[in-house]
Amino acid sequence: MRKHILLFHFVFISLWLNAQDFQGKAEYFSKRVLSKKTEKVEIDDKKETNLEFEKAWQDAMKKATEKKYLLTFNKVECLYEVQQELGKPEKPSSGMVISVSISGGGKKYLNLKDKKSIVENEIFDKEFLIVEPLEKPDWKLLNETKKIGDYNCFKAELIVPVSENQRKDYEEFLKKEEVKPALFKMDEPKDKVIIAWYTPEIPVSFGPDNYWGLPGLILEINEEDNLVLCSKVTLSNKEKTAIKVPNTGKKVTQMQFDEIEKKKTDSMKDEDGVIIFEH
């Protein structure tokens, strides 16, 4: 009996969505999942771990990665943006304060009809619009299911290969390491394995961040040590809100943006590879 009810629910929702000019909103939150291997920084010749620095680093990473997002979508386009929250200033758990800023926190817009993506990003407060043609990700659909909230979800996997720029950066690091050991170590880049959970009960091809291309709304993304999970979905065929296309910043391609970013960061590094900020 339960299988019949679930099948009816799935068919009814699918028919309703396909028959209507609907719009939806999905709320997500991101969370950093620490691996068993603790991140450490070697700070002197004896290679002793500075526990105070490590604790401040973990607190800064937690603050930088744990955020709330909103995905607004219809059948052909979507906009993904961070939700700004006002909070009281937090007192550091130790005497050391570290600030971490992660790039890629701007708005992300996808349009399936025009086959393009537009992403807001910045390099040291200079704003850019990264405009790229859409290339459908090569997802592998897996025969695993689970429930997220009220929705039946299926598992998918995506392999993101190491880029040529990542290889070059690592080769440059190894060359410098032979001359003088670096303060901050660089791990050898590896292919990333992305796990997604999507629901065909909401037949749109969007999801959090810039992940898309599955036969249903993506409700969960596992990207290495970062988890993005949907907490609420709202669907409507009455309320219509225009999805605003990002338009602030200089238009560039992803390759141009990467080149500008590398040139800027390299110009600010000292001989140990540490970026120096002048106030």
Side-chain angles (χ1 to χ4, degrees):
M1 182 66 179
R2 177 172 173 78
K3 290 184 178 179
H4 287 88
I5 294 175
L6 288 175
L7 179 61
F8 174 78
H9 172 75
F10 173 73
V11 172
F12 176 78
I13 292 294
S14 297
L15 289 174
W16 181 82
L17 291 176
N18 288 321
Q20 303 292 330
D21 183 19
F22 75 99
Q23 188 175 63
K25 293 182 180 181
E27 299 175 20
Y28 296 87
F29 65 90
S30 63
K31 182 177 181 180
R32 187 163 182 258
V33 182
L34 293 177
S35 61
K36 292 182 181 180
K37 179 182 178 182
T38 305
E39 295 176 351
K40 296 181 179 180
V41 177
E42 297 173 1
I43 62 167
D44 59 20
D45 294 336
K46 295 181 180 180
K47 298 184 179 181
E48 296 178 352
T49 302
N50 187 314
L51 297 179
E52 182 181 4
F53 183 95
E54 184 177 344
K55 182 65 172 69
W57 172 259
Q58 297 291 356
D59 289 344
M61 286 299 297
K62 181 176 184 294
K63 184 177 180 181
T65 56
E66 296 188 1
K67 298 181 181 297
K68 293 182 180 180
Y69 300 87
L70 178 66
L71 177 72
T72 305
F73 59 88
N74 53 39
K75 287 184 178 180
V76 298
E77 60 180 343
C78 74
L79 180 68
Y80 185 71
E81 55 190 324
V82 68
Q83 299 297 285
Q84 301 296 334
E85 294 182 290
L86 294 177
K88 296 180 179 179
E90 296 182 6
K91 294 183 179 180
S93 55
S94 65
M96 184 178 295
V97 179
I98 296 176
S99 178
V100 174
S101 178
I102 298 178
S103 62
K107 297 177 182 178
K108 297 177 173 64
Y109 171 83
L110 297 179
N111 190 307
L112 300 183
K113 184 178 179 181
D114 296 338
K115 296 182 179 180
K116 69 177 179 180
S117 70
I118 301 175
V119 176
E120 285 184 348
N121 212 331
E122 64 177 38
I123 300 175
F124 297 103
D125 296 328
K126 185 174 181 179
E127 297 175 318
F128 293 88
L129 281 178
I130 304 172
V131 182
E132 286 282 308
L134 280 182
E135 294 184 10
K136 191 172 182 179
D138 187 19
W139 291 101
K140 179 181 178 181
L141 305 185
L142 304 175
N143 191 27
E144 293 184 45
T145 63
K146 73 173 182 178
K147 292 271 287 189
I148 298 180
D150 295 328
Y151 295 98
N152 298 292
C153 297
F154 293 84
K155 189 177 183 180
E157 181 183 89
L158 177 66
I159 306 297
V160 180
V162 175
S163 69
E164 189 63 30
N165 285 338
Q166 288 175 313
R167 288 194 182 94
K168 289 180 180 179
D169 289 344
Y170 185 65
E171 289 172 359
E172 289 179 7
F173 166 77
L174 291 179
K175 290 178 181 179
K176 293 179 180 178
E177 184 78 357
E178 291 178 356
V179 179
K180 181 181 179 181
L183 180 64
F184 292 92
K185 305 300 179 181
M186 178 183 290
D187 293 329
E188 182 177 0
K190 298 180 180 179
D191 295 347
K192 288 198 299 184
V193 179
I194 311 298
I195 299 297
W197 292 91
Y198 67 96
T199 176
E201 296 175 19
I202 306 177
V204 294
S205 192
F206 300 122
D209 207 352
N210 54 352
Y211 292 109
W212 70 285
L214 286 168
L217 181 67
I218 300 173
L219 298 185
E220 181 180 323
I221 284 286
N222 288 274
E223 181 182 4
E224 296 183 329
D225 59 355
N226 192 50
L227 170 69
V228 182
L229 184 63
C230 182
S231 58
K232 182 180 179 181
V233 178
T234 305
L235 302 173
S236 174
N237 64 342
K238 295 180 180 179
E239 181 184 356
K240 296 292 186 299
T241 303
I243 296 178
K244 296 182 179 180
V245 182
N247 59 6
T248 303
K250 179 182 177 181
K251 289 185 179 181
V252 293
T253 65
Q254 185 65 58
M255 183 179 294
Q256 290 170 331
F257 179 84
D258 293 341
E259 290 174 352
I260 296 170
E261 184 177 45
K262 187 177 188 307
K263 185 177 181 180
K264 181 63 177 178
T265 53
D266 286 348
S267 69
M268 300 177 67
K269 290 179 181 178
D270 64 11
E271 60 181 9
D272 292 319
V274 179
I275 297 177
I276 303 300
F277 293 92
E278 296 182 358
H279 298 279

